[in-house]
Amino acid sequence: MSDKHYQNYHSIIFDYMRQANVQSICVSEDFNSSVEALSLKEKFFKDSDLFRVFVGIHPQFAKVSSDMRLFEGLFQSKLDFIDGIGEIGLDPTYANLDPDNTLERQKIVFEKMLHLAETNNKPVSLHSRRSVNEIMEILPSYKIRNAVFHWYDGNKSNLKRINDKGYFVSFGPYLLYSSDKQTLLKEADINLILVETDGPVKYKNCFEGALTSPSLVVSIVYFASVLLKKSIDDLTEILYMNSTRFMN
């Protein structure tokens, strides 16, 4: 919700969340989006748990050294409004695109984010594209309350490693048309799955590039219930309990 694509739709989306009693997590990617997410929380949901805020520095922006200094100050000053750390992680794609944004630099920022999460007992949302092995080498050395490998896109063996450590994986709207993601969902520990939209990503096929909103969660849960051969009520209860444990 802190992304500029949502600026003209806040009132519509927030009204839907209140009327449907949908709790959402607004995940940040840098200092500015963290500030915006916290501002939305204070402006629209100051006395409500429907809007949760995760702040963090995405690996795409790890090279911006000023962000880290500003971020740490923001984190301490707004700690009471912060529910978790994210989106954080590693991604060699960005190192290939920008020689200044090396994996070494990304790891420094990533470990600083994990230290904040450990010290303040916060869950984390992880970006792990092409880097699950590297993240799994680092993550267990921190006492992280809970972690989710958001938009999990790895293989089955790594999925088992992740679940065996008690970490969550999340699935988004692509589940409705991606056979690979459908297979991964079936392989995942049902007690360690979460659902997400990853807005403002626009999805193809049945979604026709529409702007992502929390309302899409209903479609994801329904389709997942079909894949897992559960009633929608049963899966909704499982996902609610999973989310509660993840957020503690």
Side-chain angles (χ1 to χ4, degrees):
M1 295 305 150
S2 59
D3 190 276
K4 63 182 179 181
H5 289 86
Y6 288 113
Q7 287 178 354
N8 296 326
Y9 303 98
H10 284 153
S11 60
I12 297 172
I13 293 172
F14 293 160
D15 283 347
Y16 165 78
M17 287 171 58
R18 293 188 186 95
Q19 291 172 18
N21 197 34
V22 172
Q23 186 176 98
S24 297
I25 298 174
C26 182
V27 182
S28 310
E29 61 181 9
D30 59 8
F31 172 75
N32 289 332
S33 60
S34 297
V35 170
E36 176 64 15
L38 288 164
S39 175
L40 292 172
K41 170 71 175 179
E42 293 189 66
K43 183 177 180 180
F44 295 101
F45 293 95
K46 190 171 185 177
D47 299 315
S48 170
D49 286 335
L50 290 181
F51 189 88
R52 302 292 190 113
V53 174
F54 276 39
V55 297
I57 298 178
H58 189 281
Q60 182 178 1
F61 304 104
K63 73 169 187 178
V64 186
S65 58
S66 60
D67 268 15
M68 192 65 236
R69 294 192 298 271
L70 293 169
F71 180 87
E72 290 175 332
L74 175 72
F75 186 88
Q76 297 303 330
S77 67
K78 298 292 185 179
L79 189 57
D80 290 344
F81 293 98
I82 295 171
D83 297 287
I85 309 291
E87 180 179 336
I88 61 173
L90 304 172
D91 191 336
T93 304
Y94 300 117
N96 294 334
L97 291 173
D98 185 346
D100 291 330
N101 195 6
T102 64
L103 271 179
E104 289 71 25
R105 175 61 192 168
Q106 291 180 32
K107 286 180 180 179
I108 290 171
V109 173
F110 180 45
E111 295 212 41
K112 286 184 177 180
M113 295 289 110
L114 291 177
H115 176 71
L116 282 175
E118 178 184 62
T119 304
N120 295 279
N121 198 28
K122 302 291 185 183
V124 298
S125 176
L126 300 166
H127 176 97
S128 60
R129 182 172 59 177
R130 296 171 57 200
S131 60
V132 173
N133 288 328
E134 290 80 3
I135 287 176
M136 286 297 287
E137 288 176 4
I138 297 170
L139 186 60
S141 63
Y142 288 85
K143 294 179 181 178
I144 301 299
R145 187 174 75 186
N146 283 308
V148 58
F149 282 72
H150 120 87
W151 193 323
Y152 181 70
D153 195 31
N155 56 39
K156 293 179 184 179
S157 60
N158 275 337
L159 174 61
K160 186 176 187 308
R161 288 175 64 203
I162 289 167
N163 283 169
D164 284 348
K165 285 288 187 182
Y167 302 139
F168 293 81
V169 290
S170 61
F171 296 88
Y174 51 76
L175 186 68
L176 275 68
Y177 56 81
S178 170
S179 58
D180 290 344
K181 304 304 181 296
Q182 292 165 14
T183 299
L184 288 172
L185 176 73
K186 293 176 184 177
E187 292 287 331
D189 183 334
I190 196 171
N191 296 307
L192 291 169
I193 61 173
L194 300 171
V195 292
E196 63 168 310
T197 62
D198 199 30
V201 172
K202 293 183 178 181
Y203 297 89
K204 55 186 179 180
N205 293 6
C206 55
F207 297 105
E208 299 181 337
L211 184 68
T212 310
S213 80
S215 61
L216 290 185
V217 168
V218 177
S219 297
I220 302 167
V221 175
Y222 171 73
F223 193 75
S225 73
V226 173
L227 290 174
L228 297 174
K229 298 180 180 179
K230 297 278 186 184
S231 73
I232 190 168
D233 287 343
D234 285 347
L235 185 59
T236 297
E237 179 65 19
I238 290 169
L239 290 170
Y240 174 77
M241 296 304 296
N242 292 353
S243 301
T244 300
R245 282 188 291 108
F246 173 67
M247 294 300 299
N248 197 25

